[in-house]
């Protein structure tokens, strides 16, 4: 029997699907992503796309759907996550799980991060299936659980337990797509690399004692203060990595010396300086401290947590001697690294990059695509590490300025323009045909 699907416009279809996704509360923790996965499965199956649910625990399912390739062409994964972060309704001007359409925008938790892209991915693959699209390589859709917390229910688990479901040559994920105007020209950012998060703890040792007689003790908190100041003041030597070089070549027309990059970028536009500054060197931000639990007890131990972000390719073992040199030898401490995450990159000269560039120049004449290494990290690193997938973060946002989007993500009144959702569907349909054939 021929399946009959009512086709309105893709714009209406993606708006409706996003509204329904937002109305399913997938706040993580606890997640409860299965309800979202089932909604997407029902929608995709009704459009003739083959679906499979994969769940480590029943309430936290991941959905993988695909249009099978007819030959041995390259495969492409449209990756997204269905969980969202907490929303406090008291901070919002609409209920955060309403999915309401207002003034051309859809409001609700996850509209930008990232149920909007989930919906656009789903509508792209569903509409291609309706068109009878028969790619040479597999076109795969994955809406995964547990990206925001990362407790091992989502893509990490899929890569380990069901590698065949998510192994592809190319992948598109969240991470960039922002439209920037710098020095009179227009650029769209595409994330091709991510810094590594490599947090560590400095455990400063002293000797406890009664706080009424400080002279008989050795206060670990006071000694820690010296180390905090040193690590916070530290500015490692800047260096240029391939993504920053490519960015500078496009926006400045040349690659300045590493030491003058921030200044040159600022002269073009303050945003350009903000973008490149954290990408020139590792960063060290002391963020938490614990010492005595009682006011009248001088602490024998003080722990400083440092949020450290390394450049792709740098590793804690190589950075540690540098950190120890900065901390100095006059305070007794231990340095303990937590498990690092991320810090991967994909090549820039790929058919996926060509597709990004072509889309940008066609959809906005005169605009250029520029690669960027993002200071944070996404699930893309699991794919790069497990399968060597070329993974980029790119979902074009033409209507909403990046500074507005940045304020709304993980915050109140998150919303996405329907124009950007529609642009996203156009992009995804185009990139599938460009990559999978
Ligand atoms: Zn996200």
């Amino acid at each position: 029997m021929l399946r009959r699907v009512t086709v309105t416009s893709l714009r209406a279809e993606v708006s409706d699907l996003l509204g329904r996704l937002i109305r399913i509360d997938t706040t993580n923790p606890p997640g409860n992503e299965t309800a979202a996965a089932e909604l997407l499965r029902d929608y995709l199956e009704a459009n003739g796309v083959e679906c499979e649910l994969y769940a480590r625990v029943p309430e936290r399912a991941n959905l993988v759907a695909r249009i099978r390739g007819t030959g041995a062409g390259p495969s492409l994964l449209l990756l997204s996550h269905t969980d969202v972060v907490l929303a406090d309704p008291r901070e919002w001007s609409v209920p955060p799980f309403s999915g309401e359409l207002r003034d051309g925008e859809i409001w609700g938790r996850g509209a930008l991060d990232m149920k909007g892209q989930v919906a656009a991915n789903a509508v792209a693959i569903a509409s291609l299936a309706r068109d009878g699209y028969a790619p040479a390589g597999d076109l795969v859709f994955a809406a995964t659980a547990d990206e925001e917390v990362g407790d091992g229910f989502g893509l990490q688990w899929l890569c380990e337990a069901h590698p065949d479901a998510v192994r592809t040559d190319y992948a598109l994920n969240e991470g960039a797509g922002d439209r920037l105007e710098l020095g009179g020209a227009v650029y769209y950012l595409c994330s091709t690399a991510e810094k590594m998060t490599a947090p560590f703890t400095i455990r400063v040792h002293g000797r406890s004692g009664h706080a009424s007689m400080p002279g008989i003790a050795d206060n670990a908190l006071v000694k820690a203060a010296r180390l905090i100041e040193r690590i916070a003041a530290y500015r490692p030597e800047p260096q240029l990595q391939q993504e920053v070089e490519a960015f500078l070549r496009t926006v400045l027309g040349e690659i300045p010396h590493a030491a003058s990059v921030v200044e040159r970028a600022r002269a073009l536009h303050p945003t350009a300086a903000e973008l490149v500054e954290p990408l020139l060197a590792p960063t060290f931000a002391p963020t938490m401290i614990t010492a005595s639990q009682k006011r009248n007890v001088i602490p024998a131990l003080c722990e400083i947590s440092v949020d450290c972000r390394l450049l792709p390719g740098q590793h804690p073992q190589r950075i540690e001697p540098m950190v120890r040199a900065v901390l100095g030898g006059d305070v007794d401490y231990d340095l303990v690294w937590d498990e690092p995450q991320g810090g991967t990159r994909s090549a820039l000269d790929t058919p996926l990059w060509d597709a990004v560039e072509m889309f940008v120049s066609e959809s906005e004449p005169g605009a250029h695509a520029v690669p960027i290494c993002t200071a944070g990290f996404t699930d893309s690193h699991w794919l790069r590490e497990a399968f060597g997938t070329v993974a980029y973060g790119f979902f074009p946002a033409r209507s909403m300025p990046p500074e507005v989007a940045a304020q709304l993500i993980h915050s109140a009144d998150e919303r996405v323009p329907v124009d950007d959702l529609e642009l996203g569907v156009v992009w995804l349909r185009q990139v599938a045909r460009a990559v999978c054939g």
Side-chain angles (χ1 to χ4, degrees):
M1 190 191 87
L2 193 68
R3 218 185 289 265
R4 289 192 67 88
V5 180
T6 315
V7 183
T8 49
S9 70
L10 296 179
R11 182 183 173 90
E13 189 170 333
V14 70
S15 307
D16 172 69
L17 185 60
L18 175 56
R20 287 192 284 152
L21 281 168
I22 288 173
R23 287 189 283 278
I24 296 173
D25 181 349
T26 49
T27 303
N28 184 11
N32 286 323
E33 297 92 341
T34 297
E38 287 174 344
L39 169 76
L40 290 163
R41 180 193 58 192
D42 294 349
Y43 164 76
L44 291 171
E45 282 185 345
N47 284 281
V49 184
E50 174 189 327
C51 292
E52 183 96 48
L53 291 178
Y54 298 91
R56 210 182 107 192
V57 294
E59 60 280 14
R60 309 207 63 181
N62 302 275
L63 174 66
V64 181
R66 75 179 65 227
I67 300 179
R68 284 191 191 277
T70 53
S75 50
L76 172 68
L77 169 64
L78 307 180
L79 176 65
S80 60
H81 64 83
T82 52
D83 60 320
V84 298
V85 297
L86 189 75
D88 180 351
R90 289 169 302 185
E91 297 175 20
W92 285 64
S93 7
V94 300
F97 298 99
S98 64
E100 188 177 308
L101 174 65
R102 189 194 271 195
D103 303 327
E105 295 179 315
I106 294 177
W107 289 58
R109 173 56 85 226
L112 292 167
D113 183 14
M114 67 174 293
K115 285 178 170 172
Q117 195 169 342
V118 174
N121 286 347
V123 170
I125 192 170
S127 60
L128 285 167
R130 290 197 302 258
D131 294 349
Y133 175 52
D138 282 13
L139 176 63
V140 186
F141 166 98
T144 63
D146 192 34
E147 191 273 344
E148 298 289 358
V149 176
D151 271 342
F153 296 100
L155 187 64
Q156 177 185 12
W157 173 77
L158 276 175
C159 288
E160 288 162 11
H162 300 281
D164 292 341
V166 287
R167 183 192 290 114
T168 54
D169 301 308
Y170 300 95
L172 271 174
N173 188 16
E174 62 181 338
D178 322 48
R179 178 187 184 278
L180 297 182
E181 282 180 51
L182 305 172
V186 174
Y187 303 95
Y188 283 81
L189 300 179
C190 174
S191 163
T192 60
E194 298 171 349
K195 289 184 88 172
M196 172 185 276
T197 171
F200 59 86
T201 304
I202 305 169
R203 297 167 57 93
V204 183
H205 302 289
R207 196 176 59 251
S208 62
H210 198 283
S212 63
M213 300 169 72
I216 62 162
D218 180 21
N219 193 329
L221 177 61
V222 174
K223 290 157 71 178
R226 290 205 291 259
L227 302 191
I228 294 170
E229 288 201 10
R230 287 172 191 162
I231 197 83
Y234 178 44
R235 293 288 174 274
E237 192 70 26
Q239 51 173 286
L240 291 179
Q241 300 225 322
Q242 63 184 51
E243 296 79 18
V244 178
E245 286 185 345
F247 176 81
L248 295 169
R249 206 180 298 120
T250 308
V251 303
L252 295 176
E254 59 167 334
I255 303 170
H257 190 269
S260 59
V261 161
V262 175
E263 195 186 321
R264 289 286 308 277
R266 189 167 289 121
L268 181 71
H269 198 282
T271 305
E274 277 170 32
L275 269 175
V276 296
E277 192 169 19
L279 307 180
L280 300 173
T283 56
F284 303 90
T287 50
M288 298 194 293
I289 187 164
T290 57
S292 179
Q293 300 302 308
K294 267 179 101 53
R295 197 209 65 236
N296 63 1
V297 176
I298 289 177
L301 176 69
C302 177
E303 294 192 331
I304 310 158
S305 298
V306 180
D307 183 290
C308 166
R309 310 282 169 140
L310 306 180
L311 296 174
Q314 291 183 328
H315 287 284
Q317 309 90 285
R318 274 181 46 205
I319 298 298
E320 186 171 326
M322 208 164 86
V323 174
R324 288 193 181 273
V326 169
L327 294 174
D330 58 330
V331 174
D332 179 22
Y333 70 88
D334 298 320
L335 200 157
V336 185
W337 294 88
D338 294 349
E339 191 66 33
Q341 273 205 336
T344 59
R345 61 158 47 103
S346 290
L348 297 176
D349 54 339
T350 70
L352 188 56
W353 180 262
D354 295 342
V356 173
E357 209 161 55
M358 179 173 292
F359 170 78
V360 167
S361 59
E362 282 177 7
S363 67
E364 188 166 349
H368 300 278
V370 282
I372 196 82
C373 169
T374 47
F377 71 99
T378 67
D379 269 349
S380 293
H381 74 98
W382 300 117
L383 298 173
R384 294 191 185 118
E385 284 158 7
F387 315 121
T389 304
V390 170
Y392 296 161
F394 186 75
F395 189 71
R398 187 161 60 195
S399 308
M400 180 173 274
E403 61 277 10
V404 175
Q407 278 170 19
L408 298 176
I409 289 173
H410 289 205
S411 184
D413 290 345
E414 186 178 352
R415 58 194 184 269
V416 65
V418 176
D419 285 347
D420 284 345
L421 290 175
E422 188 181 12
L423 182 70
V425 175
V426 171
W427 149 244
L428 293 159
R429 285 170 52 89
Q430 186 173 324
V431 68
R433 290 184 186 276
V435 172
C436 302

